[in-house]
Amino acid sequence: NASKFFDGNNPASIGGGYTNPFNGSVVVTATKVSDGTPAMIVGTAEEKRIEATGTARFRAYGFEAIAQSAGSTTIYMPTALCQFNSATTFFAVQNMSFSTPTVVTITYSAGTNQPTAASTTIQPLAKWSVNPCQSNGTTSYSGAAVIQSSASPIAAVGKASQVAGTQARYTTAYLAQATGPTRVAVPYIRWSPASPGTDFRSTIAIQNIGASIPAGQLVVRYYAPNGTLVNTCTSVNALANGAKLNSNVAAAFAGGTDFSCTTVQPTNGSTYTFSGAAVIQGPAGSSLSAVIRNSTPAASTQIHTEDFNGISLP
């Protein structure tokens, strides 16, 4: 139950020829002092940066370490952006093999201005940093991604970063997934009025990581803190493998093309207030992944934006 901290700004805490600055990947292994057999460990990473231009501010984000057993030759990213509302996603893809290079290909889901596929060879334990704009220019895109490896298991962390002009606003972090459940829990959902803009709004990106889901068979249910069902949103169209849909409790997305909801708040939910949770459910045998983004309605305070992965339910 003890812990150990490695500080990237303190090379002495890491050793082994590490130098600062550093941009790469990390592999952590552990053995028992008693007999040298493998030990069980968990880990998290927290990254922080101070912007050098515009208003000085910190941007901090955290994510969990990924067990080698969780790696796969196909993994899924529920959100992929290129200059969408000034935000772009960046993927760090790591080859989890200690000895085998692998060719990794990223395919983006259908959508307006869909980027072309990107591919590269990643050496053992190394990482590939890539974003949709690299194969899409600066054309706005919002979709999802499927990442495939030719030889060895891979893992990936996604980061969404928004820069408006010279003003850096936020960076978030979330994990790619190889498998998913039929039901996903979202313990934290918020919706606040557009003014004063000091609270959060939650939006859910839901990716199908299994067989195609027919129209009307993906449902998002929103619950108040006392368990009262507040809104039920049902998918309008079929969802192919790798594709994604977006949902929020106010059903406030323009056009409402992804879900049909029992309640749609008027004026884009600008005066609506909600605090609660959600459950995402697909048909029997389906496999889902979700990333939830919490941001403030007012652009000037979006430095507080954060992402988290949905939680598997039995």
Side-chain angles (χ1 to χ4, degrees), residues 51-59 86 161-170 299-300 303:
E51 300 307 326
T53 60
T55 303
R57 63 183 72 193
F58 291 98
R59 290 196 288 168
S86 302
S161 180
Q162 186 192 65
V163 177
T166 60
Q167 185 66 60
R169 288 187 176 151
Y170 66 76
S300 61
I303 55 173

Side-chain angles (χ1 to χ4, degrees), residues 81-94:
L81 307 173
C82 174
Q83 291 298 305
F84 185 78
N85 293 333
S86 302
T88 297
T89 53
F90 299 85
F91 304 144
V93 186
Q94 186 177 20

Side-chain angles (χ1 to χ4, degrees), residues 45-52 57-63 79 81 85-92 127 131 157-164 167-175 200 291-296 299 301-308:
E46 181 168 285
E47 300 183 1
K48 179 188 72 175
R49 62 184 296 177
I50 303 174
E51 300 307 326
R57 63 183 72 193
F58 291 98
R59 290 196 288 168
Y61 46 92
F63 54 91
T79 178
L81 307 173
N85 293 333
S86 302
T88 297
T89 53
F90 299 85
F91 304 144
K127 78 160 184 177
N131 72 78
V157 173
K159 300 175 183 179
S161 180
Q162 186 192 65
V163 177
Q167 185 66 60
R169 288 187 176 151
Y170 66 76
T171 301
T172 72
Y174 52 92
L175 302 179
F200 287 108
V291 168
I292 298 83
R293 180 157 299 146
N294 298 297
S295 61
T296 60
T301 56
Q302 286 179 346
I303 55 173
H304 302 294
T305 299
E306 184 61 284
D307 290 351
F308 66 92

Side-chain angles (χ1 to χ4, degrees), residues 54-74:
T55 303
R57 63 183 72 193
F58 291 98
R59 290 196 288 168
Y61 46 92
F63 54 91
E64 298 80 13
I66 301 169
Q68 191 172 29
S69 59
S72 176
T73 54
T74 301

Side-chain angles (χ1 to χ4, degrees), residues 128-149:
W128 175 33
S129 296
V130 61
N131 72 78
C133 293
Q134 290 175 330
S135 54
N136 206 44
T138 57
T139 304
S140 180
Y141 165 75
S142 175
V146 180
I147 308 175
Q148 295 176 297
S149 168

